[in-house]
Amino acid sequence: MSQGFDYDLVIIGAGVGGHGAALHAVSCGLKTAIIEAADMGGTCVNRGCIPSKALLAASGRVRELRNAHHLKSLGIQIGSVEFDRQAIANHANNLVSKIQGDLTNSLKRLKVDIINGWGKIAGAQKVSVTGDGGEKTITAKDIILSPGSIPFVPPGIEVDGKTVFTSDQGVKLESLPDWVAIIGSGYIGLEFSDIYSALGCEITLIEALDQLMPGFDRDIAKLAERVLITPRDIETKVGIYAKKVIPGSPVVIELADFKTKEDVDVIEVDACLVATGRIPATKNLGLESVGVELDRRNFIPVDDRMAVLSSGEVVPHLWAIGDANGKMMLAHAASAQGIIAVENIVGRERIVDYRSIPAAAFTHPEVSYVGLTETAAKELGQTEGFEIATSRSYYKGNSKALAENEADGIAKVIYRKDTGEVLGVHIFGLHASDLIHEASAAIANRQSVQSLAHLVHAHPTLSEVLDEAYKRAI
């Protein structure tokens, strides 16, 4: 126990990042408290990863069972498939409650003090907590900030939570509108288009940038568009942005050209999901009391060790993890950062290897990737003086995919020509989110395609898609 302090470590925010940090802190012998003003588990458990995966699982089954052509090819015939919207919503809600309870119990079991209220910094190594019982101040040798993020709503869009809403409300699945506009074609937009289209809604997907699925590797995005969007009841508007969205029945959306800002069209839909990304929840954290300013996008500046910076200098005993520092806005990245912060608190120097952290969209089929896109790899090569190469393999050549009759898919490997080091791997297809971890480990260990091509994979498995891509590289 640190002399003269209430705790060795106080964590503000009990999302996945704060939870991971607390568990690791206890294992390192630190007396720990975690402060949460809202729901234990943060965005991921309550409004993000967990409920959305439950909805995707249920709606995915509906899509599968209604795909008579696919089932017939396997020799299966089935009658009409019915579903209960409320029961699907309950499945998601029940899962949230279970995981929230598991998370809370794991902290209690390890004797982490859970403090309900709004936590903010009240000076060096001090935190004030405002809750039902008023305000109190606690001291800690170290403080980790893990306040998370909230949905970003662009100017001109009015959210009423019913007819115009963000993913926070969308995961509750309170209705299935006949016609839904989805603004944004990133992870959130793609996953909700998958859910809604499977459950019979018509969709208009509106993307301000000049191509769908910005941020994804272009080869992957092209095939994903052909499978996830084109054959489904989804119309797309690309290079178009929602200038104004007015809630009501109907929802009125004024569309304009993203480059010229000229008005293009007005559409009326039954509902509108705003899936335009997330912004850090960094207001009212008391950072000014220790001389810390947010950056221009309102993220908390940190170094590679997760230490908070003020004018480029480390603020002693203050750390920030997760969405609030903007390094990589993913739940598992937050958890990794929490562990890294604790490692540095106890004097073991560590940094996060962001290139080896994978990401996935849980559509049907899935999209996953780790490392660099081809464009980013080329830019790195130009800077550091090396050439890159790529290899591809396809699900249609994979025995297991053919046995499942799920042959839409591709694996793409990006590597250095000189050393063979793998720089990025991108997969679209059945179980892509599970397959990516082999590539993640390879990138973490800076392995070459030459060494990976000699690994032995079980046959017949989907993992041979990666095996084939490595072998093609050499």
Side-chain angles (χ1 to χ4, degrees):
M1 176 63 191
S2 302
Q3 294 297 315
F5 292 99
D6 297 323
Y7 295 95
D8 296 317
L9 175 63
V10 166
I11 300 163
I12 298 177
V16 172
H19 178 253
L23 297 188
H24 193 58
V26 171
S27 75
C28 294
L30 302 182
K31 184 184 180 188
T32 304
I34 194 161
I35 302 167
E36 178 55 62
D39 301 314
M40 296 296 290
T43 295
C44 170
V45 171
N46 297 284
R47 301 171 296 280
C49 338
I50 300 304
S52 64
K53 297 310 138 327
L55 296 180
L56 282 158
S59 60
R61 296 282 167 82
V62 173
R63 186 190 299 284
E64 199 177 326
L65 293 169
R66 283 182 168 174
N67 190 342
H69 177 74
H70 180 247
L71 291 172
K72 193 175 179 183
S73 70
L74 295 169
I76 300 167
Q77 287 179 308
I78 205 162
S80 69
V81 178
E82 306 301 325
F83 66 87
D84 180 336
R85 177 200 58 78
Q86 188 57 56
I88 290 175
N90 291 346
H91 168 53
N93 293 332
N94 293 340
L95 182 63
V96 167
S97 297
K98 181 190 181 323
I99 292 181
Q100 193 185 88
D102 290 349
L103 183 147
T104 304
N105 291 336
S106 67
L107 294 171
K108 287 178 177 173
R109 193 168 58 248
L110 293 170
K111 297 184 169 52
V112 173
D113 285 351
I114 299 171
I115 302 170
N116 298 114
W118 184 268
K120 60 189 286 190
I121 299 161
Q125 297 173 295
K126 285 182 189 170
V127 174
S128 74
V129 185
T130 307
D132 293 339
E135 188 177 345
K136 64 178 179 178
T137 301
I138 55 177
T139 61
K141 184 171 184 293
D142 284 274
I143 299 164
I144 292 178
L145 298 171
S146 181
S149 63
I150 56 173
F152 169 61
V153 179
I157 297 177
E158 188 186 333
V159 170
D160 68 350
K162 294 291 182 188
T163 60
V164 180
F165 50 87
T166 67
S167 56
D168 281 6
Q169 295 84 37
V171 292
K172 295 182 175 19
L173 202 70
E174 289 177 345
S175 66
L176 284 173
D178 291 337
W179 185 5
V180 188
I182 298 177
I183 302 173
S185 65
Y187 294 98
I188 298 170
L190 279 179
E191 289 187 351
F192 272 98
S193 73
D194 202 275
I195 293 164
Y196 282 131
S197 62
L199 299 180
C201 307
E202 289 183 47
I203 295 163
T204 296
L205 194 57
I206 301 164
E207 174 55 59
L209 299 180
D210 57 7
Q211 52 198 11
L212 291 170
M213 300 175 61
F216 289 89
D217 185 271
R218 292 329 302 160
D219 284 344
I220 300 296
K222 276 184 222 161
L223 180 57
E225 183 180 342
R226 206 158 69 226
V227 176
L228 299 177
I229 296 170
T230 305
R232 298 178 181 175
D233 210 350
I234 303 172
E235 70 164 338
T236 60
K237 295 183 181 293
V238 178
I240 304 292
Y241 78 105
K243 181 178 173 181
K244 195 169 186 180
V245 178
I246 306 161
S249 296
V251 176
V252 179
I253 303 176
E254 296 179 11
L255 300 172
D257 184 285
F258 186 61
K259 286 181 178 164
T260 66
K261 306 298 186 253
E262 289 176 10
D263 291 346
V264 172
D265 197 3
V266 176
I267 61 172
E268 295 183 349
V269 296
D270 298 304
C272 176
L273 168 69
V274 184
T276 45
R278 301 183 67 84
I279 52 174
T282 47
K283 290 179 181 172
N284 193 27
L285 289 177
L287 287 164
E288 65 285 348
S289 70
V290 287
V292 173
E293 289 184 8
L294 301 172
D295 71 12
R296 61 184 180 80
R297 295 188 299 155
N298 290 322
F299 290 114
I300 301 169
V302 296
D303 67 9
D304 290 339
R305 298 160 55 250
M306 301 297 110
V308 173
L309 302 175
S310 175
S311 303
E313 297 296 317
V314 167
V315 179
H317 306 291
L318 185 60
W319 314 79
I321 64 171
D323 288 0
N325 68 29
K327 295 288 184 185
M328 198 176 211
M329 295 175 85
L330 296 168
H332 47 282
S335 187
Q337 288 176 351
I339 291 167
I340 294 287
V342 171
E343 286 285 290
N344 285 295
I345 285 168
V346 298
R348 295 192 284 259
E349 287 273 327
R350 282 187 187 272
I351 61 171
V352 182
D353 177 21
Y354 292 107
R355 193 182 291 177
S356 67
I357 297 179
F362 294 84
T363 47
H364 294 88
E366 297 171 340
V367 189
S368 67
Y369 72 87
V370 63
L372 304 177
T373 61
E374 186 174 350
T375 304
K378 278 179 181 168
E379 287 170 1
L380 182 68
Q382 285 170 351
T383 305
E384 297 188 4
F386 63 80
E387 284 186 53
I388 68 151
T390 64
S391 69
R392 296 165 183 77
S393 67
Y394 298 89
Y395 274 59
K396 63 188 176 189
N398 179 275
S399 301
K400 183 67 160 51
L402 292 170
E404 299 271 356
N405 214 348
E406 295 276 4
D408 286 321
I410 180 175
K412 176 177 176 179
V413 176
I414 301 155
Y415 59 97
R416 289 179 61 142
K417 269 189 181 177
D418 53 357
T419 63
E421 181 190 335
V422 176
L423 300 175
V425 174
H426 304 259
I427 307 173
F428 171 66
L430 194 64
H431 295 302
S433 68
D434 300 308
L435 297 177
I436 200 64
H437 294 92
E438 176 188 335
S440 175
I443 288 178
N445 294 312
R446 302 301 188 254
Q447 285 180 274
S448 69
V449 286
Q450 286 84 354
S451 65
L452 293 164
H454 292 288
L455 296 177
V456 180
H457 293 70
H459 176 76
T461 62
L462 295 174
S463 69
E464 291 174 291
V465 171
L466 271 178
D467 183 48
E468 181 66 21
Y470 294 140
K471 283 178 165 61
R472 286 186 179 191
I474 61 165

